[in-house]
Structures are given as structure tokens and as C-alpha cells.
Amino acid sequence: MSTLKMGIIGGGPGSMIGDIHRITATATGKAKLVCGAFSSDPQKSAEKGKSLGLSEDRIYDSFEEMIMKEANLPEDERMDFVAVTTPNYLHAEICTLALNAGFHVMCDKPLSFDLEEALALQKVVSQSAGIFAMTYTYRGYPLLKKAAGLIANKQLGEIRKVRVDYSQGWLSQLIEKEGHKQALWRTDPKKSGNGGTIADIGTHAFNLLESVTGMKVDSLCADVSALVKGRAIDDDANILVKMENGAKGTLSVSQISTGEDNDFSLHIYGDKAGLVWRHTIPYQLHIKYPDFTEDIIQLEEKNEETTSEVNIPGHSPYFTEGFQNIYNAFFQAIESKGQATEETFANTFSLPLIEDGVRGMLFIDKAIESSDKQAWVKLDF
């Protein structure tokens, strides 16, 4: 496989997620960054591009310019794929332009500004020759893939109870009023969409619940709230869920849990055994039995970041490895295009696709609807 040429849209000075995409995609030498439109401010885009050693003629002032000019370059020069790392409201437009221009796309989550955009983008993907994937990062964690395999093989038996909790505390104060860059757009409904925390980390929790259990959420009853006074968008959500097989459970997400860095946990209980995974110890998977004994599946503990170039508060080295595993699956899909089917890609746990993104947007839409109505709602269109 030849080295793929990467472009980035977003990820300008001060951005964390753009650096994560760049570092993890290029870590194994399977990809090389060749171009970027790093900011809507041309000066900031130029600053970032130059710091990465890019040629001036491959640093663009806008994503429109970048996609158009890259598409007009000879095939052996232009980028092969683009990583979309902008705020949510730009995702669908950028992805549509890139796919229509013949490029593969890796998009950050959530998929789009709203469900309508997501469904329109899904049609574009279905008609495109390009591979479209998303960075639901935890899908790249090796023990979560292992957990999905155990459940698929019925080692827990019939699933009866599920519980997923994702708690952060970085929005416990009204830091958007102080000009905090990440808080400014993530708490702005014009850039984030209708969902705040429910979109930012709620979609992670929802995607992991469905992908690990191998089951869809059938219906939910949600309480979606803005608990910090003066905030324009939700920062906390507590949701009852019913799975398609009748299993019951809860999904709780919060970014106002004061003092919490990145506390993420998944509990799944069947009639034969239970399974527990915690982000605080991501290298351990606990399998619990009716007699109160347990097996611990354990990987090597990693004490240092896999890269010194990026600092990810609250995350273990497995976070960057998870990103890298998703990119590796993405590269395999690109290489296999034409030989493998879309079903093959969809069955790859470590490669979230457009369907995952659409389900995430449906989840946001229905959770907010349920909260507004104070009623159970079905997760269907």
C-alpha cells in the first residue's frame, strides 16, 4: 500500500482535535499530511500550515478553495483523503463537497448540525465512490472490540441490563463567558446544533452502547438539561433506554460533574455473566459471574502517552491508540475499495461509518424531543 496523502480542514492554532487526527493518521507512515485549510482566518491557517512544514501553495484560506484546487491537481499530487475537524455546523457541507470531488473523508463526531443534514449527507455517501468514516474514538479501543466479540458469541447470555455513564467537569463553570475557545462554539447552538453535551459526548456513549451490545436502542425517555445558569445549551442528560431485545438500562452524560476529568464506564449484564469496562483503567475488562467470582482480561498498562506531541487531559494513551486503530481500519477500507463490500466495512468494529453518524443524530433529536415532551419516544424516523 502506497502512502496516502492527507488533508485537514480545521485544527488551527490552539486546536487539540486537529493535532490528534494528524498525529494518529501519520504515526505508522501509512499517510502523510500534504495540505490544509486550518482556520476560517487565512492568517491563522497560514500560521498553522507553516508550523507543520507545508508548502505555501498547499495551505489554503478556505475549505472551498482547498477542495477545488486539490481536485484539479494531478492524481499523484492531490490529497487522497481529508480529515474534517471543524465545529459541527460545517461538517455536512465540507463532507459533501469533498465526496463529490472524489475524496475519501474522515469526519469528527457528531456527524452534522441536525438530523436533516445527516440524512442528506447519507445520500451523498451512498452515491459516492469515496470511503466515509467517523472518529467515534472508543471504537478503536482493543478491549471494547473484545467486549463486542464476547457479547456476539453469547458469553454473557441474553442481555437484560445496560448502563453507560460519561462524566466530565470542564463545563462546570460558565467558561464560555470568559472566552474559552472550545466552550465558545460547543455551547453555541448556532455552531453546535440543538445538542450540547448530548451531542459532544452523548453520541460517544450512545454509539458505544449500540456497537458493543450489537443491538439498537428501541426507545428512550430523557431529561436533557442546562444546569449551569446562563448557558444556552444542555450540559447534562439522564436517559432511560429500552433495547431492541427488551433489555432496560440508563445512559447518563454530563460535562458539569465538578472535578471529573473523563470518567467513562460501560456496564452490560446478561443472564450468564456481566461485563464492566472503565476508562480510568482501559486496559482491563471485568467479566462477572453469578457466584460473584470474576475474570479480568488485561492488556499491558501504558504509563506514558504514545506521543509527546499532543496532550489530552483526562485521557489515557489508549485514546491516541484508539484513534490510530480507526485510521488503520479506514486505510484498509480505502485499499480494499472495489474488492470488499460495504457490508464488510460495516462489520468492522473499529471503523464507524455514515450509519453510525446518522444514528447519533437521531439519538440527539429524539432525546431532546423526549425531554421536551417528558415522554418515552421511539428511535425511528
Side-chain angles (χ1 to χ4, degrees), residues 38-75:
F38 301 100
S39 173
S40 57
D41 181 333
Q43 185 174 345
K44 290 183 179 179
S45 184
E47 176 188 338
K48 183 68 175 185
K50 289 176 183 177
S51 74
L52 297 174
L54 292 180
S55 171
E56 288 189 15
D57 63 348
R58 304 295 289 277
I59 305 170
Y60 299 99
D61 291 348
S62 69
F63 65 82
E64 296 96 337
E65 179 192 25
M66 172 172 154
I67 292 171
M68 179 188 69
K69 288 190 174 180
E70 287 293 316
N72 287 326
L73 289 174
E75 186 173 353

Side-chain angles (χ1 to χ4, degrees), residues 80-117:
D80 296 302
F81 73 93
V82 60
V84 180
T85 70
T86 65
N88 307 345
Y89 75 104
L90 292 171
H91 286 183
E93 182 181 1
I94 295 170
C95 292
T96 298
L97 284 175
L99 289 164
N100 286 339
F103 298 113
H104 305 294
V105 175
M106 179 66 82
C107 183
D108 211 46
K109 41 58 50 196
L111 179 60
S112 57
F113 183 77
D114 57 26
L115 182 58
E116 183 180 358
E117 279 191 353

Side-chain angles (χ1 to χ4, degrees), residues 49 58 63 80 128 130 161 192 201 236 245 274 295 325 344:
R58 304 295 289 277
F63 65 82
D80 296 302
S128 170
K161 170 79 174 182
S192 177
I201 62 174
D236 185 86
N245 76 330
D295 292 329
N325 288 338
T344 301

Side-chain angles (χ1 to χ4, degrees), residues 74-187:
E75 186 173 353
D76 63 347
E77 293 182 25
R78 65 173 174 253
M79 68 178 179
D80 296 302
F81 73 93
V82 60
V84 180
T85 70
T86 65
N88 307 345
Y89 75 104
L90 292 171
H91 286 183
E93 182 181 1
I94 295 170
C95 292
T96 298
L97 284 175
L99 289 164
N100 286 339
F103 298 113
H104 305 294
V105 175
M106 179 66 82
C107 183
D108 211 46
K109 41 58 50 196
L111 179 60
S112 57
F113 183 77
D114 57 26
L115 182 58
E116 183 180 358
E117 279 191 353
L119 293 171
L121 180 55
Q122 186 175 35
K123 290 181 180 179
V124 173
V125 172
S126 69
Q127 297 166 2
S128 170
I131 299 295
F132 180 91
M134 299 187 67
T135 47
Y136 280 106
T137 319
Y138 301 97
R139 292 274 290 275
Y141 278 47
L143 282 185
L144 289 172
K145 184 175 183 178
K146 176 71 172 179
L150 293 174
I151 292 170
N153 291 330
K154 303 295 184 181
Q155 289 185 241
L156 302 191
E158 181 69 14
I159 303 303
R160 301 188 292 199
K161 170 79 174 182
V162 297
R163 190 169 91 240
V164 57
D165 179 87
Y166 199 164
S167 297
Q168 297 176 341
W170 73 284
L171 288 178
S172 63
Q173 309 300 317
L174 201 65
I175 59 175
E176 57 266 42
K177 298 299 183 183
E178 300 169 5
H180 188 286
K181 181 178 179 179
Q182 291 297 318
L184 277 172
W185 78 260
R186 292 180 191 275
T187 61

